[in-house]
Amino acid sequence: MSELDWLSDEAWTVLEPHLPKNRPGAPRVDDRRVISGILHVLRSGCRWKDCPPEYGPPTTIYNRYNRWSAQGLWHKLFARLAAAGNIPDELSIDSTHIKAHRSAAGSKKGMRRRPIGRSRGGRTSKIHALANAQGKPIAFVLTPGNIADISVAATLLDDVAPPMRLLADKAYDADHFRKPLEALGTEVVIPSNGTRRHPYPLNRIAYRRRNVIERMFCRMKDWRRIATRYDRLARNFLSAVALVATICFWLA
């Protein structure tokens, strides 16, 4: 990783039209410089106050990130670009555990609100995601790390058109998940759990392509503030996920 991270001309050309315009108050300082500072913090994992001075005052960097997070701007940006580039032919669904730093967890009561779960692996959150056939993310949901994958699978699929094919691992093998998808015309490619008396047939050639979502998570976890959760507020951590997903996959 270079010492400083700057948005490329190509990325800025795509990103800039989606930023807020003509808002009341004093004019904002250079958006490109500030967003580059935000990306530096997310990639390096440093504290906000340690953001290099080349990006401007650290309070400006953090306040812009936090304010736009509260306004849902990072999620809207991701959703617009993902919707514009998505073709619902084949989707993959999966999840990944995120280690929660003690600064994110706080008290036990705070863990329940944030959401952070406790298991043998310690304090964790879990990112659930949909990815298209090119391995680009389409949707995210955040839960405590001890929540079953299938419990939020329907929520992830609610806001997308029914895909022609859905790839998933055995964690999603349940009739109440399979049958509504099949009724919509979706080919469900999920290995049957070993406890089934009559396993479902499996399209093994298609199932090999499920690795695209695993590689997507690996690429996102190269950003240290995604691989480890430091944010107490769930909305700020999800904003980081949305922004990194946008930068890695939808500005290329």
Side-chain angles (χ1 to χ4, degrees), residues 92 167 206-217:
S92 299
L167 314 181
Y207 186 70
R208 293 173 188 168
R209 297 194 290 273
R210 197 186 67 82
N211 70 86
V212 298
I213 194 168
E214 296 173 346
R215 288 188 278 120
M216 178 201 79
F217 281 132

Side-chain angles (χ1 to χ4, degrees), residues 7-21 32 35 73 76-78 80-82 84-85 136 243 245-252:
L7 280 168
S8 67
D9 291 340
E10 295 79 6
W12 181 245
T13 299
V14 177
L15 186 65
E16 194 272 337
H18 298 279
L19 300 181
K21 302 288 193 302
R32 186 173 181 178
I35 295 175
L73 186 138
K76 292 174 185 175
L77 173 65
F78 165 75
R80 287 172 188 165
L81 293 174
K136 295 184 177 184
L243 181 54
T246 301
I247 295 298
C248 286
F249 299 99
W250 292 111
L251 295 186

Side-chain angles (χ1 to χ4, degrees), residues 97-99 220-229:
H97 282 88
I98 303 296
K99 188 76 172 179
M220 292 184 65
K221 283 184 170 181
D222 286 340
W223 296 65
R224 293 183 180 178
R225 275 186 170 261
I226 304 299
T228 302
R229 177 179 169 179

Side-chain angles (χ1 to χ4, degrees), residues 170-171 173-175 178 191-200:
K170 290 183 180 180
D173 178 30
D175 288 341
R178 285 177 177 269
S192 295
N193 194 292
T195 60
R196 282 191 180 275
R197 288 187 177 183
H198 304 290
Y200 284 94

Side-chain angles (χ1 to χ4, degrees), residues 41-72:
V41 171
L42 299 183
R43 186 189 294 274
S44 68
C46 71
R47 298 175 298 179
W48 292 99
K49 68 179 182 179
D50 294 331
C51 188
E54 288 85 348
Y55 298 117
T59 52
T60 300
I61 307 297
Y62 174 74
N63 288 341
R64 181 78 57 84
Y65 174 73
N66 184 53
R67 183 170 66 251
W68 283 3
S69 173
Q71 295 169 358

